[in-house]
Amino acid sequence: MSNTAELHQPSVAITGAGSGLGRAAAIKLAAKGYRVFGTARSEQHVADLREVSGGKVTLTLADITDQHAVTAWVDQVSDELGERGLDVLINNAGTLTPGPLEVIPLDDIRREFEVNVFGGLAVINGFLPALRKSRGRIVQIGAVTGPFPAPFDGPSSASKAAFEALADVYRAELKPFGVMFVMAQAGNMRTGGPAKTAAALKRLADSMTGEQRALYGDVFGKFSDALNGMQNAGLSAEASADRVIELVEQVPPPIRAAVGDDAEQILRLVLEKSDTELDALRLQLIGAGDA
């Protein structure tokens, strides 16, 4: 690659790049010529992606809920990019805490918000100086459960809904600087999450008291079966990454965009249906019927 080409090599930072959607996006963007930086939570993921990408992806061990770790990563990436700035931030890291709101420990709900909301805010705010330099773009990986909260998905739905509001605010506040903000509203994705989700569902079910099991056990079991089935049939990591890369490069960028056919369908129904109809749909989606 010539020096001139290197000067114009686009850059991207991806949180949660060690597995799933983030990993697939990192590999594909590196292959397209992007300079790729990312966070991961294990040395194994760092080594794996270095090998798979031929050293084209630079991963850093970082927990986005640790402000010091975020600041160190942002400073490292920003220093390497210099005055060119960062072209794209894909804010992808997230977690899922399923279960009845009455049963989930409050500390677990707080952890969900620490990862999905406050960690995301820390990363965005950290990179804003670099994004302003390039008049870059933020692609926030959200979910259809932001505009369409689902039973037994309360913490995740609420955290995704919070970022729907934050996206509107960021978009207005950053427009004068030429920084664009895109909400990617994902449906079911087969991106490494199904096994983790199944384990989380089992942990919650096993932790229920006898009284809680009598109240929620049957319908939560149906929900677990339905969610496991939907996730295993969801969009692959590669297909999800292809769609996200479209949002990275689309001109002009969309404000919000569905990731997956099921996401498009649900978002359309949210606009068309009444609250009563949407409540019935929520129960159908979790396998509870008219319960």
Side-chain angles (χ1 to χ4, degrees), residues 189-203:
M189 295 190 296
R190 194 172 69 254
T191 59
K196 294 179 182 178
T197 301
L201 292 167
K202 186 178 186 305
R203 280 196 304 273

Side-chain angles (χ1 to χ4, degrees), residues 29 63 77 137 155 189 199 210:
L29 285 165
D63 179 347
V77 173
R137 179 179 308 196
M189 295 190 296

